[in-house]
Amino acid sequence: MKQSLAIIITLMLLAGVSTAQAYDIVVVKNGDEMPMAQVVRAFGDKLVHLLPARGVKSIEPHRFREIDIRRNPIKSAVEQEILASRPDLILTLGRNALLAVRDISEIPIIYLLVVAPEIIIENRDNITGVNLEIPVKLQFDELTRLLPRVRRIGVIYNTGHSAMEIQEARQARADLQFVALHAKSAREVPASLEELRGRVDLIWLLPDIIVTNPQILESYFLFSFENRVPVLAFSEKYLKSGAALVVTFDMAAMGEQAAVMAARILLGSPVSGVPPADITRVKTIVNPTVARKLQLVIPEDASP
Amino acid sequence: MNRWRPFHRIRESFVAKISLTLVAVVVVLAVLFDLMLIRLQQRAYEQENIKHGLALVRLLAQSVRIAVFSENNQDFIMPVNSILSHEDVVEADIFNHEGAMLFSRKKQENSLSQILDNPEHLATIFKNIKESGEMHWQTPNSFIFWWPVYFNTATGSDESLFFETEVEPAAEELIGYAALVISKQSFTEGIRHILVNTGVIVVCFLAAGLAMSFVVVRHMTRPLSNILKKVRENTGGALVRDDLSLLSETYGGMLRELEQSFETIKELKDGLEVKVVERTRELSDRQIQLETANLKLSETLAKLQEAQQQLIQSEKMAAMGQMVAGVAHEINNSVNFISGALPSVKRLLGDLKELLASYEELEGMPNGDERRGNIAAIHELKNDIEFAGIFATFEQLLANIEEGTTRTTRIIKDLKIFTRQGAEKFKEADIHSIIESSVPFIDSRQMKGVEIRKQFGDIEPVTCLAGRISQVFLNIMQNAVQAMNGKGVLTISTWQENGQVHVRFADTGCGIDKDLINRIFDPFFTTKEVGKGSGLGLGISYDIIKQHSGRINVESKVGEGTVFEVILPVSPPIFPMKMD
């Protein structure tokens, strides 16, 4: 009789334990480029860590299903495929992936690797994510740590695209002198660079499609090499072109950040309660060849 | 006049003409080759220069594309100066896509622009460059090259700023033109080098070619020169004519002679045909005559063969006569034993009959004197008939009779062997027995003073026709005995060597003359008196031995004797057919 009572009590206790289950997550991506895989891997690892599958479904891990919109570019087909499987969450990677699923309102969506997502999201309340913007303060804090002598920052910007960054930079680092020249088009970049000759210690490359046009990019690096002025860029891709150092996203950190947001949503928080966030961690990379050629002095204790 | 003699000689010499022609051809070819080589090298060098110029202007267009895009003069300086630092580049000009000059620089600032000398021409140039992509031409002093300046102005997505994205290649936009003027100074210098080098090479080639030509012509025309020399000698050598005329005349003469020869041959041929017909007819006549003669000869041959058969028959008969004589003599001797004994036997038998009759008469008489008288008469009779030796005499007489009978039996036996030739077949036979059985048939009348010595060796039986072989041996022995003329020694010896049995008959007769010894086996050849020999005996013997795959050797010395050696294989390779 005592044994039967103990079993009943144990079962009642087990019934009271949280019954977190394995979740179906659809990853919508645009191609198989390396950073995407890195982000998805970090997201998955973190999510499993945050939401370990347990309870009656503990034998099943979270299910990740990938949809590549480059292979299936028809938006309605992608939507139908996702709605048919009724996943618990949609993770989008890149602007096109977000555009492909933004009209699905029944399922929470977390975006990653999207520049200016607000234009796409508009007023939808089931979408949140990590903004692809490097906080200016973090960027210049890293710069100062590596190149403490740099004071005069030359930057060419377009008023319509990147005036905000100039303003943020001046506010965040009042100790630095920003020589900012407006360029209406890429044609004006070489002339603007000529104006910067002898006036700056570093060229700050902005993520501005007007003034950082890939075809005019050569001008920046030519200027850099001719005047021994390093270029601070925002993506690893510019290292091989000639940037001296890069302060950029930490892909794994972005994935983990998105996983935290996803966990909150999957555990019941409304999407509106999990607002879009800026990245919290950056990665700094120095091009040693360029640094050596430009005779940059980087303190040993400041090496990334 | 003599001063021009060498030139006349050259004009007359065929070899000199060939040499001069060859030299002229070589020179012309060398010049043409030189010109062609120079032209080819010039063209290749020009193409190389054009390629080089195009590469430079393309490099310039690539270097200034950002400067053209931004139309920033400062950005032109470095790439243009870099191109102008090249030795032969004298001017570089950059235009925007509308044809407006953006930048121009010349190596010598004061010199006139070779590109801008004809502004109206620029519009055509730009149009052509748009269509073909490049352009170049030459002036007397320079090469001018053009290349379009393209720029990819397509903007990527915002994401492409951050990541390596696959972007569709955008169409390039024509934003300007680059022009380059390259002096021809180095080019002209290079061409001059080519001319000089090629000229030197061709002169060397020409010199070597002429030397080789001279040697080759001299070597190859040597037979011709020899012919010409001989022709000149044959024509007297006094005539001074050029080689070709000489050859032409000689050839013409030879041709005429040849034609005459052909005419002669034709005539001869016509005559020959007539002669052939006549000769054919003659031959036909001769053939008929020959056939007639042949027919006669055949008839004669038939008669001869018939005569030969008769002679053979005669020889057989003669041989048989000799044999019969011998046999008769032997039988007579044997019978003499019997016939000589028979009278004595009859006489002794009478004596015995008389003695027995006396004893019968005595049996019936009483004892008394008469009886005693008869007994004394019987004793007297015994003494008369030599009763004591009568039985010994009987035995002697019976022995004689037996000897005569034995001899007769042996003769008959040998005769049977000798006469069974016709049905004879090849079989193994003892040569010694054949010799022994042949000896008795030698004519005994000539054997009185002849001694036969037998030196028989150890030999195997020979497969043969024993009767035929016996005939051969008898013939040889008979000849030997005749040659010894009743006195001498006939030595018969045998031995075996290498599967062959040798039978040697050596007599001590008169021998055979050296000139005749080669003819002794010829049919009808004989040295005997007419009627004593047919001349076929040794011929038949030769055939018989050949029939046994054997041979007969003869050695003879006049006055010393003759040796016949019959050699027979123990086993003839193929048994010959039975002989008739």
Side-chain angles (χ1 to χ4, degrees), chain B residues 385-413:
Chain B
I385 63 173
E386 296 173 350
F387 184 77
I390 196 166
F391 288 105
T393 306
F394 254 121
E395 286 175 356
Q396 180 62 44
L397 290 171
L398 286 174
N400 287 347
I401 290 167
E402 190 177 11
E403 173 65 20
T405 309
T406 302
R407 286 192 182 193
T408 307
T409 304
R410 184 169 55 81
I411 289 164
I412 290 165
K413 184 181 170 190

Side-chain angles (χ1 to χ4, degrees), chain B residues 121-141:
Chain B
H121 191 48
L122 285 176
T124 311
I125 292 168
F126 295 149
K127 185 175 175 232
N128 288 339
I129 292 174
K130 276 183 187 172
E131 289 170 359
S132 63
E134 62 169 78
M135 178 165 276
H136 63 87
W137 70 85
Q138 300 179 38
T139 67
N141 299 320

Side-chain angles (χ1 to χ4, degrees), chain A residues 50 110 128-130 256-266 274-277:
Chain A
L50 293 171
I110 292 179
T128 186
V130 180
E256 289 173 2
Q257 205 171 336
V260 172
M261 296 167 84
R264 288 176 61 191
I265 292 166
L266 290 170
V274 184

Side-chain angles (χ1 to χ4, degrees), chain B residues 239-413:
Chain B
L239 292 171
V240 179
R241 293 175 297 185
D242 67 282
D243 294 342
L244 276 179
S245 300
L246 185 63
L247 277 176
S248 175
E249 283 182 17
T250 307
Y251 179 72
M254 286 170 66
L255 210 59
R256 281 193 299 277
E257 286 174 6
L258 202 61
E259 283 174 355
Q260 285 175 358
S261 300
F262 276 123
E263 283 296 323
T264 309
I265 288 169
K266 190 173 180 300
E267 287 171 7
L268 288 172
K269 182 190 160 196
D270 293 342
L272 192 64
E273 282 178 355
V274 174
K275 283 183 181 175
V276 166
V277 170
E278 287 176 1
R279 206 47 75 82
T280 307
R281 193 168 56 247
E282 287 174 7
L283 283 173
S284 297
D285 295 343
R286 288 286 171 82
Q287 190 180 356
I288 290 166
Q289 289 173 0
L290 282 173
E291 283 174 356
T292 308
N294 192 29
L295 191 61
K296 287 178 180 174
L297 282 173
S298 297
E299 289 172 357
T300 308
L301 183 63
K303 287 177 182 174
L304 278 172
Q305 283 174 341
E306 193 178 345
Q308 184 185 1
Q309 287 300 322
Q310 287 174 358
L311 280 172
I312 291 170
Q313 190 62 28
S314 300
E315 174 65 19
K316 283 182 180 175
M317 293 307 290
M320 195 179 289
Q322 286 181 342
M323 188 189 73
V324 168
V327 168
H329 178 72
E330 280 299 312
I331 291 175
N332 189 46
N333 286 343
S334 304
V335 170
N336 280 341
F337 278 95
I338 300 167
S339 59
L342 278 177
S344 299
V345 170
K346 281 180 180 176
R347 185 178 52 81
L348 289 174
L349 196 61
D351 290 343
L352 282 175
K353 279 180 178 177
E354 190 179 353
L355 186 62
L356 283 174
S358 296
Y359 274 112
E360 281 181 357
E361 192 179 345
L362 188 63
E363 284 176 357
M365 280 184 183
N367 288 332
D369 293 336
E370 191 178 4
R371 182 179 176 95
R372 280 191 294 273
N374 278 343
I375 290 170
I378 287 169
H379 282 293
E380 190 178 348
L381 185 61
K382 281 185 175 177
N383 288 332
D384 290 342
I385 63 173
E386 296 173 350
F387 184 77
I390 196 166
F391 288 105
T393 306
F394 254 121
E395 286 175 356
Q396 180 62 44
L397 290 171
L398 286 174
N400 287 347
I401 290 167
E402 190 177 11
E403 173 65 20
T405 309
T406 302
R407 286 192 182 193
T408 307
T409 304
R410 184 169 55 81
I411 289 164
I412 290 165
K413 184 181 170 190

Side-chain angles (χ1 to χ4, degrees), chain A residues 255-294:
Chain A
E256 289 173 2
Q257 205 171 336
V260 172
M261 296 167 84
R264 288 176 61 191
I265 292 166
L266 290 170
L267 287 174
S269 296
V271 178
S272 56
V274 184
D278 289 338
I279 60 170
T280 55
R281 207 162 75 200
V282 293
K283 187 168 68 175
T284 304
I285 306 167
V286 175
N287 184 336
T289 306
V290 175
R292 190 176 69 250
K293 295 275 174 71
L294 298 182

Side-chain angles (χ1 to χ4, degrees), chain B residues 476-477 479-484 489-492 503-514 516-517 520-521 527 538 552-565:
Chain B
I476 292 170
M477 289 188 290
N479 287 341
V481 168
Q482 287 174 356
M484 289 185 288
V489 178
L490 172 63
T491 306
I492 305 170
V503 185
R504 188 170 182 272
F505 300 91
D507 66 54
T508 56
C510 58
I512 305 168
D513 193 88
K514 187 170 61 179
L516 303 177
I517 200 159
I520 58 172
F521 294 109
T527 56
L538 281 175
I552 302 176
N553 296 334
V554 184
E555 293 174 12
S556 183
K557 279 189 179 176
V558 176
E560 292 184 10
T562 304
V563 175
F564 279 82
E565 185 177 345

Side-chain angles (χ1 to χ4, degrees), chain B residues 169-226:
Chain B
E172 290 188 318
E173 181 187 348
L174 179 68
I175 59 170
Y177 307 94
L180 213 56
V181 179
I182 295 179
S183 165
K184 274 190 171 179
Q185 191 176 348
S186 297
F187 174 73
T188 311
E189 189 68 23
I191 292 294
R192 194 161 63 245
H193 276 293
I194 288 171
L195 285 171
V196 171
N197 291 341
T198 311
V200 168
I201 289 169
V202 169
V203 166
C204 292
F205 164 76
L206 199 58
L210 290 176
M212 287 292 293
S213 302
F214 178 73
V215 171
V216 169
V217 167
R218 190 179 171 80
H219 178 72
M220 292 188 71
T221 57
R222 189 168 294 158
L224 184 64
S225 300
N226 292 338

